[in-house]
Amino acid sequence: MPLQNRVAPNGKIEAVPARGLVMGNRGGRIHDPLTRTLTRRRWASRRWICCQLVFKGRRRKVMGESYTELFFLDEVTALASGHRPCFECRRRDAKSFAGLWAQAEGMRLPPLADDMDRLLHTQRLQEKSKNDAILFSQVGNLPDGTMIASGGDKVGEAFAVRNGQLLHWSYLGYTPLKSNRSDWPLQVLTPAIIVDILRAGYTPLWHSSASDVEA
């Protein structure tokens, strides 16, 4: 049986066999190491990060005595669920992310990790408001890497914006959008500050299937 450690764009953690390209954690351990199952908690602290799968030859027992390892299809998925690049294993990306955060927010200097985590956690936990709702015709105004859901963030049908188009998301990858229904109620999943950072020029890691769809 697969472990419950795979994250969807809406932040839910589910048990599926596929692992994806990116690993991360939510600030500590949220599982029972004896049963290797999640507790009722869904985060240990507000430091939610996304990491490389391989770093300096380190090997871990997944869901062991340390923090709870989580897995994402790609960085686009991790960003949608509110995770940011790790300053240890992805330092270059993390510095770029912080620099573009400062640019998007009109700050003189890049923010500290704690400052970013504080705002991100607020946006992760807030209820989706009408300000998050968009029309299908507005999809082209969103930056690449933004993720949305049809009918709100609890429906499970998630889509990623790429070159002004929508790609259907699943744990296995992206597939073409089969129907361009203009009457869809769409909800932005990616936190607002991350949408601003994507618009400022941050380029996340995409699963290869996104390019396959375009081809």
Side-chain angles (χ1 to χ4, degrees), residues 99-121:
L100 291 170
W101 180 306
Q103 179 181 320
E105 294 292 287
M107 301 168 63
R108 188 170 61 88
L109 296 172
L112 299 175
D114 285 344
D115 296 328
M116 291 191 288
D117 293 337
R118 189 174 296 109
L119 177 57
L120 277 171
H121 204 59

Side-chain angles (χ1 to χ4, degrees), residues 8 41 44 49 75 84 89 92 110 128-129 138 161 178 185 200:
R41 295 197 303 170
I49 59 175
E75 188 179 8
R84 61 163 176 81
C89 67
R92 179 180 297 179
K128 295 294 181 182
S129 67
Q138 296 174 300
V161 178
K178 296 181 179 179

Side-chain angles (χ1 to χ4, degrees), residues 40-110:
R40 292 184 178 181
R41 295 197 303 170
R42 287 300 177 264
W43 63 86
S45 77
R46 59 181 177 233
R47 181 156 293 183
W48 296 22
I49 59 175
C50 55
C51 305
Q52 296 181 20
L53 286 179
V54 179
F55 182 62
K56 294 185 176 180
R58 296 178 185 176
R59 300 183 66 84
R60 303 178 54 83
K61 177 184 177 182
V62 176
M63 282 193 170
E65 295 291 338
S66 185
Y67 63 76
T68 302
E69 298 86 353
L70 302 173
F71 297 89
F72 311 84
L73 172 69
D74 56 10
E75 188 179 8
V76 175
T77 308
L79 293 175
S81 59
H83 291 246
R84 61 163 176 81
C86 172
F87 271 98
E88 182 181 10
C89 67
R90 300 185 58 214
R91 187 164 186 80
R92 179 180 297 179
D93 292 332
K95 291 179 70 174
S96 172
F97 185 87
L100 291 170
W101 180 306
Q103 179 181 320
E105 294 292 287
M107 301 168 63
R108 188 170 61 88
L109 296 172

Side-chain angles (χ1 to χ4, degrees), residues 22-208:
V22 179
M23 188 185 84
N25 67 78
R26 293 184 175 178
R29 193 169 75 198
I30 57 174
H31 69 276
D32 182 337
L34 295 179
T35 61
R36 301 176 78 192
T37 58
L38 294 187
T39 63
R40 292 184 178 181
R41 295 197 303 170
R42 287 300 177 264
W43 63 86
S45 77
R46 59 181 177 233
R47 181 156 293 183
W48 296 22
I49 59 175
C50 55
C51 305
Q52 296 181 20
L53 286 179
V54 179
F55 182 62
K56 294 185 176 180
R58 296 178 185 176
R59 300 183 66 84
R60 303 178 54 83
K61 177 184 177 182
V62 176
M63 282 193 170
E65 295 291 338
S66 185
Y67 63 76
T68 302
E69 298 86 353
L70 302 173
F71 297 89
F72 311 84
L73 172 69
D74 56 10
E75 188 179 8
V76 175
T77 308
L79 293 175
S81 59
H83 291 246
R84 61 163 176 81
C86 172
F87 271 98
E88 182 181 10
C89 67
R90 300 185 58 214
R91 187 164 186 80
R92 179 180 297 179
D93 292 332
K95 291 179 70 174
S96 172
F97 185 87
L100 291 170
W101 180 306
Q103 179 181 320
E105 294 292 287
M107 301 168 63
R108 188 170 61 88
L109 296 172
L112 299 175
D114 285 344
D115 296 328
M116 291 191 288
D117 293 337
R118 189 174 296 109
L119 177 57
L120 277 171
H121 204 59
T122 298
Q123 294 189 356
R124 285 190 293 255
L125 299 182
Q126 69 186 7
E127 290 293 327
K128 295 294 181 182
S129 67
K130 292 182 179 179
N131 292 330
D132 297 306
I134 63 169
L135 301 174
F136 190 88
S137 60
Q138 296 174 300
V139 167
N141 298 327
L142 294 171
D144 280 11
T146 304
M147 295 205 72
I148 62 176
S150 58
D153 63 344
K154 296 182 181 180
V155 172
E157 287 285 299
F159 305 88
V161 178
R162 188 172 170 95
N163 295 329
Q165 304 296 318
L166 290 180
L167 305 182
H168 185 264
W169 177 94
S170 76
Y171 283 111
L172 295 176
Y174 298 99
T175 53
L177 181 62
K178 296 181 179 179
S179 173
N180 292 337
R181 287 185 51 187
S182 59
D183 60 338
W184 271 356
L186 300 175
Q187 207 83 15
V188 177
L189 296 179
T190 307
I193 182 59
I194 296 183
V195 174
D196 290 342
I197 293 167
L198 291 169
R199 184 171 283 114
Y202 185 76
T203 304
L205 173 66
W206 286 84
H207 190 266
S208 61

